[in-house]
Amino acid sequence: MLKDKYYQAFATYAGCNVVLAIAAAALCAYVAPAAAGSGIPEVKAYLNGVDAPSILAPATLFVKIFGSIFGVAAGFVVGKEGPMVHTGACIASFLGQGGSRKYHLTWKWLRYFKNDRDRRDLITCGSAAGVAAAFRAPVGGVLFALEEAASWWRSALLWRTFFTTAVVAVVLRSLVEFCRTGKCGLFGQGGLIMFDVNSTKATYSTPDLLAVMFLGVIGGVFGSFYNYCVDKALRTYSIINERGPSFKILLVIVISLLTSCCSYGLPWLSQCIPCPPHLAEQCPTESRSGNFKNFQCPPNHYNNLASLFFNTNDDAIRILFTSGSEKEFHLSTLLVFFVAIFCLGIVTYGIAVPSGLFIPVILAGASYGRLVGTLLGPLSNLDVGLFALLGAASFLGGTMRMTVSLCVILLELTNDLLMLPLMMLVLLISKSVADIFNKGVYDQIMKIKGLPYMETHAEPYMRHLIASDVVSGPLISFSGVEKVGNILHVLRVTRHNGFPVIDEPPYSDAPELCGLVLRSHLLVLLKGKKFTKQRVKTGSDIVRGFKAHDFAKAGSGKGVKLKDLEITEEEMEMYIDLHPIANTSPYTVVESMSLAKAAVLFRELGLRHLCVVSKTPGRPPIVGILTRHDFTPEHVLGLYPRIKPHK
């Protein structure tokens, strides 16, 4: 650029971006496809009870770390915040399953966490740690886990996540202090407060409040439109990505070239601005990240659009949040930058690269916030930097639909507590306006990916149905003492994970529900071969040959498989007592219970199976089992197409 070789400069710039983009895409396409995208929807779905394959595997963790490094370095309009939440959850899952036998990383003391509740709590702490590390916002991380990530919360989880994020803050502070000497590149700039805008006195009047409310409405409209466009882009990309890894990489190359063309070509539309006199920092800045990029301008001039495009994301946000510099950006510059980031953020999300949504949304929101602040300058006393901050908050509220956690994260990012009332107002307005049009971006992504997320409240039409209306049949159950061949046949022909155990005479006076047995426990029991030739109860003697952790939740792909069993023809005719491994107190509901009440109970207790028992005597003791699938709108409306869902 300094030698006026502009074509060679573009070729070098685009070539470097494409190489880095291919590295990120190859990792995602061939090693761990689950690492593509933000990762927050997958973590949110897991904490809701959806254990999708490979989303928290060690390979996903590896690709998430290095793929996000390559993706951000390749110049894509993506953030590292979503991937860091996913990274924290992957590390927590890795610890929660006792390490990894595949990679020879196991610790015996971690086996105590190998159960559903402790692993879920660990992953909640991991997601909070990811937010705390990305934004350097420990309290914001706790609130993010509470408001957005976790579906079940208890008081013990509050102090555990708080302890986790406190450790994150201490480690970050130590690393920032160590890196102040410049040993770590750009890491640590800004200290623990990434975008300190506390220098401006925030005094506001009625016209300022009206301007902020207007900004909130704009953020709600833009946020809902952004979600709509992301939804369409993801559906289009899914058709391309289904064709195989080579098409995924090809799509990434196309988006990389498009991004390079925009970031290199658009600054040519901007005018050169003379450097401000008496400036503390160097103008124009060369060979480093800074506020004043020379680009194609003559000496002592800078290109303000290039200063936004050719900076790190953090520096670009810091520039937009800067106060007291109304003349630093032309209106045309802010408009072009907003449109570019808005469009590039939409087309980039969904390609085979780890990509967060926070940074693109903050950049776009700060751009139109500063633009509105410049236009309303004669009417409002607020600084344009504060308008940029409120614009970022409004766009975040309209896109993510979070309120409390976003408010605290932004306050910790900017160290500007005086903006709290305005921040609360703009977040509430933007969320309320956006909710009129569609759902939050993470809810839409979960729906596209087919993750059956259960909402906090049941659908209104569920009030008119009862539990027995939606149970899937036929019901497959086992006797308390069952023939080995029958169990093996059922496991082969079905994919159910839970089976009711029913005691019949002579073990009970009448048929009664003894409990519920899991597929994984049946496989462990069959592998142990504690069989009897006669149909008799063996009691607790059957489990003496097992250790407690044999029945613990196995790691991904590490449990006993059906193909691992070697049962002879003679053993097929033998019997096994299921009483010792059955859950003798499963959650049950009467068949006449409202489906809405059953759905709330299922979600709030974090269940996988809910037994529906008969109301009248003389009938079979259990009518069916409700699983997550039975509460999905697709299943219910498929059974009763006459029901009209409320919009």
Side-chain angles (χ1 to χ4, degrees):
M1 291 292 288
L2 294 175
K3 297 177 181 178
D4 298 336
K5 296 181 179 180
Y6 300 120
Y7 293 109
Q8 291 93 322
F10 173 72
T12 305
Y13 174 63
C16 290
N17 285 349
V18 167
V19 169
L20 290 165
I22 290 174
L27 285 172
C28 281
Y30 291 105
V31 181
S38 169
I40 293 178
E42 287 84 353
V43 173
K44 187 176 176 180
Y46 180 89
L47 294 177
N48 189 257
V50 183
D51 196 355
S54 302
I55 60 171
L56 299 174
T60 306
L61 170 63
F62 171 80
V63 173
K64 204 74 183 185
I65 293 172
F66 291 97
S68 58
I69 290 171
F70 290 137
V72 172
F76 284 120
V77 182
V78 297
K80 59 184 184 296
E81 286 68 25
M84 288 195 73
V85 173
H86 197 178
T87 299
C90 286
I91 294 171
S93 175
F94 181 74
L95 297 175
Q97 66 186 29
S100 173
R101 292 181 192 170
K102 182 178 178 182
Y103 300 103
H104 305 289
L105 296 169
T106 54
W107 299 278
K108 289 184 178 180
W109 62 273
L110 285 172
R111 68 175 54 151
Y112 300 109
F113 297 102
K114 292 180 72 170
N115 59 79
D116 282 315
R117 193 182 75 168
D118 283 336
R119 186 183 291 190
R120 189 177 66 221
D121 288 356
L122 274 172
I123 289 170
T124 305
C125 293
S127 62
V131 174
F135 291 115
R136 305 173 197 175
V139 181
V142 175
L143 293 174
F144 175 85
L146 169 62
E147 183 179 8
E148 184 66 11
S151 292
W152 305 288
W153 196 264
R154 53 201 179 93
S155 57
L157 198 53
L158 186 65
W159 72 260
R160 287 175 180 175
T161 52
F162 188 69
F163 171 77
T164 306
T165 57
V167 173
V168 171
V170 170
V171 173
L172 264 177
R173 180 61 183 263
S174 304
L175 291 174
V176 168
E177 288 297 325
F178 173 75
C179 293
R180 283 191 186 278
T181 55
K183 299 176 182 177
C184 315
L186 298 175
F187 175 77
Q189 286 193 0
L192 277 182
I193 311 298
M194 292 179 71
F195 313 120
D196 195 346
V197 295
N198 200 22
S199 56
T200 304
K201 300 294 182 183
T203 55
Y204 38 87
S205 56
T206 304
D208 299 327
L209 291 176
L210 293 175
V212 169
M213 293 170 67
F214 174 67
L215 202 58
V217 173
I218 294 176
V221 173
F222 278 152
S224 59
F225 181 63
Y226 189 85
N227 291 1
Y228 172 80
C229 295
V230 166
D231 181 81
K232 296 300 180 186
L234 283 174
R235 293 183 188 277
T236 305
Y237 288 166
S238 64
I239 300 171
I240 301 172
N241 291 335
E242 284 172 359
R243 296 190 174 187
S246 56
F247 281 86
K248 290 182 180 180
I249 295 175
L250 184 62
L251 179 61
V252 169
I253 292 172
V254 170
I255 300 300
S256 175
L257 290 173
L258 175 65
T259 306
S260 299
C261 290
C262 289
S263 56
Y264 187 86
L266 291 176
W268 292 88
L269 304 175
S270 179
Q271 297 177 352
C272 292
I273 302 172
C275 288
H278 312 296
L279 196 65
E281 59 181 304
Q282 180 188 0
C283 178
T285 51
E286 295 177 7
S287 305
R288 63 180 179 85
S289 182
N291 294 357
F292 305 99
K293 291 292 183 183
N294 181 258
F295 203 61
Q296 88 293 6
C297 294
N300 297 323
H301 287 70
Y302 71 97
N303 185 318
N304 56 11
L305 196 51
S307 301
L308 293 173
F309 275 117
F310 287 96
N311 253 324
T312 62
N313 290 330
D314 289 352
D315 276 339
I317 294 171
R318 198 173 287 115
I319 294 169
L320 289 169
F321 283 177
T322 303
S323 59
S325 52
E326 293 87 346
K327 295 180 181 179
E328 189 172 340
F329 292 103
H330 294 301
L331 293 178
S332 58
T333 298
L334 295 171
L335 182 61
V336 169
F337 187 69
F338 165 68
V339 173
I341 294 297
F342 189 93
C343 297
L344 288 174
I346 291 167
V347 299
T348 305
Y349 193 84
I351 61 176
V353 170
S355 52
L357 282 170
F358 271 96
I359 289 297
V361 168
I362 290 176
L363 276 172
S367 303
Y368 77 71
R370 197 174 183 99
L371 179 63
V372 170
T374 306
L375 291 173
L376 298 180
L379 304 176
S380 174
N381 295 323
L382 290 179
D383 187 86
V384 287
L386 299 182
F387 265 106
L389 173 60
L390 293 173
S394 69
F395 203 15
L396 281 169
T399 308
M400 314 291 179
R401 312 295 161 83
M402 293 182 279
T403 50
V404 180
S405 55
L406 278 181
C407 185
V408 174
I409 286 171
L410 287 170
L411 289 178
E412 288 187 278
L413 272 175
T414 58
N415 194 29
D416 200 358
L417 196 59
L418 294 174
M419 295 296 290
L420 178 62
L422 297 183
M423 195 85 72
M424 294 168 66
L425 181 65
V426 77
L427 282 168
L428 286 171
I429 292 174
S430 62
K431 181 190 183 307
S432 303
V433 170
D435 280 339
I436 298 172
F437 300 101
N438 51 29
K439 290 187 175 182
V441 66
Y442 297 134
D443 295 320
Q444 289 187 344
I445 294 169
M446 282 190 292
K447 187 175 181 180
I448 293 171
K449 293 191 173 184
L451 301 171
Y453 184 82
M454 288 194 71
E455 300 288 349
T456 309
H457 304 290
E459 297 288 345
Y461 56 78
M462 289 186 178
R463 299 172 193 161
H464 308 296
L465 299 170
I466 59 175
S468 61
D469 288 337
V470 298
V471 287
S472 303
L475 178 67
I476 298 173
S477 60
F478 293 130
S479 299
V481 182
E482 186 61 81
K483 186 182 284 189
V484 173
N486 292 345
I487 297 175
L488 208 57
H489 174 71
V490 168
L491 294 179
R492 281 173 180 163
V493 300
T494 69
R495 298 177 62 189
H496 302 324
N497 282 302
F499 303 92
V501 178
I502 297 175
D503 270 342
E504 297 174 336
Y507 304 113
S508 61
D509 297 334
E512 65 177 24
L513 178 64
C514 168
L516 193 73
V517 65
L518 297 179
R519 171 183 282 264
S520 59
H521 293 179
L522 283 172
L523 291 170
V524 173
L525 198 62
L526 289 174
K527 192 173 183 181
K529 296 191 175 186
K530 303 290 184 178
F531 308 144
T532 58
K533 292 186 178 180
Q534 304 298 323
R535 192 174 183 180
V536 294
K537 276 189 175 183
T538 56
S540 58
D541 294 339
I542 195 172
V543 294
R544 286 181 182 171
F546 297 97
K547 297 178 181 178
H549 59 81
D550 289 337
F551 293 96
K553 183 178 176 68
S556 54
K558 304 298 186 298
V560 180
K561 304 284 196 310
L562 192 59
K563 62 183 180 182
D564 298 335
L565 301 179
E566 296 177 357
I567 309 293
T568 65
E569 291 295 329
E570 183 183 357
E571 291 171 335
M572 296 279 273
E573 299 300 320
M574 299 175 77
Y575 295 89
I576 189 165
D577 187 5
L578 300 181
H579 290 90
I581 64 164
N583 174 13
T584 55
S585 56
Y587 285 96
T588 60
V589 294
V590 183
E591 59 182 336
S592 58
M593 175 181 264
S594 163
L595 186 62
K597 285 185 178 180
V600 172
L601 178 70
F602 190 92
R603 186 188 190 278
E604 293 300 318
L605 293 175
L607 303 180
R608 291 186 66 186
H609 306 97
L610 183 60
C611 299
V612 182
V613 297
S614 57
K615 189 176 182 182
T616 54
R619 294 175 56 197
I622 182 167
V623 177
I625 293 180
L626 289 173
T627 61
R628 178 176 295 268
H629 169 263
D630 298 312
F631 293 105
T632 58
E634 292 79 11
H635 175 70
V636 178
L637 297 176
L639 293 174
Y640 303 97
R642 293 183 180 179
I643 296 178
K644 300 296 182 184
H646 293 263
K647 291 187 178 180

